[in-house]
Amino acid sequence: MITGDASYIKKINRSLIISKIIEHGTISRADLAKITGLNKATISVQAADLLEEQLIIETQQEHKNLGRRPIMLSINHLAGYALGIDLDHSAITFTLSDLSGTSLHTQSMELETTDYNTILELLAKQISHFKQKCSHAPYGLIGVVIGIHGIVNNDETIYFVPHHQWHNKDLKSDLINETGVNIFIENNANLCSFAEIVYKHYHSENLLSVSLYSGIGLGIMVKSKLLKGCDGYAGEIGHMIIVPDGLPCRCGNLGCWEQYASESSFMKLLSTTQNKANVTYEDLRDWFTVQDPVTDRLMKDYIKFLSYGLNNIINLYNPEILVINSELLRLYPNALEEIKAHLTSTVGQYRKLLISEFGKNACSMGACALAIKNFLEVKELSLAIDESKTPQEYSPQ
């Protein structure tokens, strides 16, 4: 039984009601009372407050039966907008979503520098631009979440970004001072795992997401919460040593997993072996299609090294769902079957092994979802992907 002062209990009830409205899309007051266990008077008072705040809207459900049509409640998708940013080593991706988590606008910018102040200025300019574009909405730009490809402290300061060689940067405070917007900083792999839980695997109690792009990161979700460790450093699985005295890594160690199983390391090796600069995903698709022997041989080795690390992760965490986020594996035929063929231990157990459907969008999707969760102050969030909309269809006026 929950005990506490009236304002605290009201806040908990409000969070629960908002969560269920979002989860169901549209729902009546009577059904809300049934699924939450709250009495009808509490539902009515809370709904009245949310309507006045313009966070929810009322619609009448169409039906063919006689009698009054039920009044349905749903989230006011256009009450505000969330901005998710994926700050990678070579590009920055900006994704704007409404309060339903639907992506409305996406754009990417190439990065030609690692200088902190230059990137700070670029981010501040773009965030201010989106803030102005969203100013017509009741709540405007509700928050910005930035995915960092590096180590983020629990206080949201940046401890280390290997590719940029940033140490101890307070990007959150710097951007708040520049823009006046609510800014949140999170590790990119954590945001990828959050996207998987919120948009796809809502009922999973134990989900891991491994991201394999410029480096390798692990996002750990346990009972809808990120497992981040005492300082926030949990999940830096790319720096697990799998080859003693192996290839040097930016972290200072030798033989780290990401030197053998990240997409960037594979692309560099393939570029050298094929004697072709700047290998693209289109090149890979073509080589996979014609079954190029060089690419095929390198992929066999890549799968082997990837499986070494996955085997260790499975033994450590015994996951319900293990999601691999990789554009390379999305293109490679029979990727899952080849990976599973290497996971033969009778000790290491998992329920599902999947390749993410979200690809490189996962980080910014998770970032938008986290901004929405923080704004609405809900304990759990379940969002649906609106397949009828594409990011190019909408730009806020």
Side-chain angles (χ1 to χ4, degrees), residues 147-377:
I148 302 296
H149 292 244
I151 302 173
V152 179
N153 296 314
N154 278 332
D155 63 3
E156 297 183 62
T157 57
I158 297 171
Y159 176 70
F160 181 49
V161 178
H163 284 281
H164 292 325
Q165 288 296 299
W166 290 353
H167 296 267
N168 301 314
K169 300 295 185 182
D170 193 356
L171 183 62
K172 178 186 177 84
S173 295
D174 290 342
L175 282 174
I176 289 174
N177 291 336
E178 291 287 335
T179 66
V181 175
N182 290 324
I183 306 289
F184 305 92
I185 308 295
E186 186 55 87
N187 171 268
N188 73 296
N190 286 343
L191 293 175
C192 289
S193 66
F194 190 67
E196 296 291 341
I197 281 285
V198 169
Y199 287 99
K200 189 72 177 177
H201 306 287
Y202 179 63
H203 297 293
S204 174
E205 290 285 300
N206 190 315
L207 179 144
L208 305 179
S209 174
V210 183
S211 298
L212 304 178
Y213 294 105
S214 55
I216 299 181
L218 177 67
I220 308 164
M221 296 292 301
V222 179
K223 294 185 178 179
S224 299
K225 292 184 178 180
L226 284 166
L227 181 63
K228 301 172 70 170
C230 64
D231 296 311
Y233 304 167
E236 290 298 324
I237 204 72
H239 300 288
M240 166 179 57
I241 295 172
I242 63 168
V243 178
D245 300 318
L247 296 172
C249 181
R250 289 174 179 266
C251 76
N253 282 330
L254 301 175
C256 290
W257 189 31
E258 69 178 37
Q259 297 303 313
Y260 299 86
S262 67
E263 287 197 4
S264 62
S265 66
F266 178 79
M267 290 296 211
K268 289 177 184 176
L269 178 60
L270 187 61
S271 178
T272 301
T273 308
Q274 293 280 26
N275 194 27
K276 178 179 173 57
N278 302 318
V279 172
T280 66
Y281 290 121
E282 288 72 23
D283 294 326
L284 281 172
R285 186 182 288 106
D286 292 340
W287 288 332
F288 290 154
T289 299
V290 301
Q291 297 182 326
D292 175 69
V294 173
T295 307
D296 184 64
R297 173 175 59 82
L298 293 180
M299 275 302 298
K300 299 297 183 187
D301 289 340
Y302 176 82
I303 293 289
K304 179 178 67 175
F305 282 115
L306 175 62
S307 300
Y308 291 161
L310 293 177
N311 181 76
N312 292 342
I313 292 171
I314 290 167
N315 284 328
L316 278 170
Y317 293 103
N318 178 216
E320 177 187 2
I321 300 175
L322 176 54
V323 182
I324 308 172
N325 194 301
S326 166
E327 196 65 27
L328 171 61
L329 296 179
R330 277 157 57 94
L331 296 173
Y332 184 60
N334 302 316
L336 276 180
E337 289 74 12
E338 290 193 21
I339 293 170
K340 289 177 181 178
H342 287 277
L343 304 177
T344 57
S345 170
T346 57
V347 176
Q349 298 294 318
Y350 59 92
R351 301 277 182 87
K352 292 181 181 178
L353 179 66
L354 306 167
I355 296 175
S356 176
E357 298 177 8
F358 303 146
K360 288 194 171 184
N361 294 324
C363 177
S364 56
M365 289 173 64
C368 288
L370 184 58
I372 293 168
K373 182 177 184 291
N374 291 340
F375 170 68
L376 295 177
E377 297 181 300

Side-chain angles (χ1 to χ4, degrees), residues 2 9-24 27 32-33 35-38 42-43 46 50 202 376-380:
I2 299 174
I9 294 175
K10 184 177 181 180
K11 184 176 180 179
I12 291 174
N13 291 342
R14 174 190 172 95
S15 172
L16 178 60
I17 289 168
I18 293 174
S19 291
K20 293 305 178 183
I21 291 173
I22 294 174
E23 180 183 347
H24 289 266
I27 189 170
L32 262 179
I35 63 175
T36 62
L38 300 173
T42 298
I43 296 292
Q46 290 275 3
L50 293 171
Y202 179 63
L376 295 177
E377 297 181 300
V378 294
K379 184 178 179 181
E380 296 181 355

